Amino acid sequence: MRHREMIAYIARRLPHQMQRDVEEVIDVLIELMQDELAQGETVSLPEIGTLSIEVQEMLAGGAVVQHSHGQTLTRIYGRFRPTGALKGRIQKEARP
């Protein structure tokens, strides 16, 4: 689901809310989650799972690897751990 689709869906579910207000709430939520993840915090989404970002300095032979212009080479990756409830729902919907 894309950003615009999410806004439209929520605005339909909450007809008393203006679409621009729904968009602002979603944008603030995303900004908050980005801030938390950038600070190394984990973000928990109820009934969905947890998000986290890990940053590792690249090592070669025990030494930190650097770019030709002196910057440390890092690897950044995200992790998502779904809740048991989400795993169960996915398994249920995946069955023929």
Side-chain angles (χ1 to χ4, degrees), residues 42 45 48-52 54 79-84 86-87:
T42 299
L45 303 169
I48 295 175
T50 57
L51 299 167
S52 63
E54 294 189 28
R79 290 186 182 247
F80 172 69
R81 291 189 177 95
T83 63
L86 180 57
K87 286 180 188 179

Side-chain angles (χ1 to χ4, degrees), residues 4-89:
R4 288 269 157 229
E5 295 168 330
M6 186 182 306
I7 292 165
Y9 178 83
I10 294 170
R12 281 192 305 273
R13 290 279 309 262
L14 303 171
H16 59 283
Q17 296 294 322
M18 300 285 291
Q19 190 163 335
R20 69 174 178 261
D21 294 334
V22 170
E23 181 175 12
E24 185 174 354
V25 168
I26 290 172
D27 289 347
V28 169
L29 179 61
I30 290 169
E31 183 181 314
L32 174 63
M33 289 190 299
Q34 286 178 336
D35 290 347
E36 291 296 307
L37 291 168
Q39 294 174 20
E41 298 296 327
T42 299
V43 174
S44 280
L45 303 169
E47 301 302 315
I48 295 175
T50 57
L51 299 167
S52 63
I53 302 293
E54 294 189 28
V55 179
Q56 293 181 334
E57 289 184 348
M58 302 300 288
L59 299 176
V64 173
V65 177
Q66 294 185 344
H67 287 283
S68 58
H69 33 52
Q71 293 178 332
T72 302
L73 195 71
T74 57
R75 179 172 77 167
I76 301 170
Y77 60 96
R79 290 186 182 247
F80 172 69
R81 291 189 177 95
T83 63
L86 180 57
K87 286 180 188 179
R89 184 170 178 181

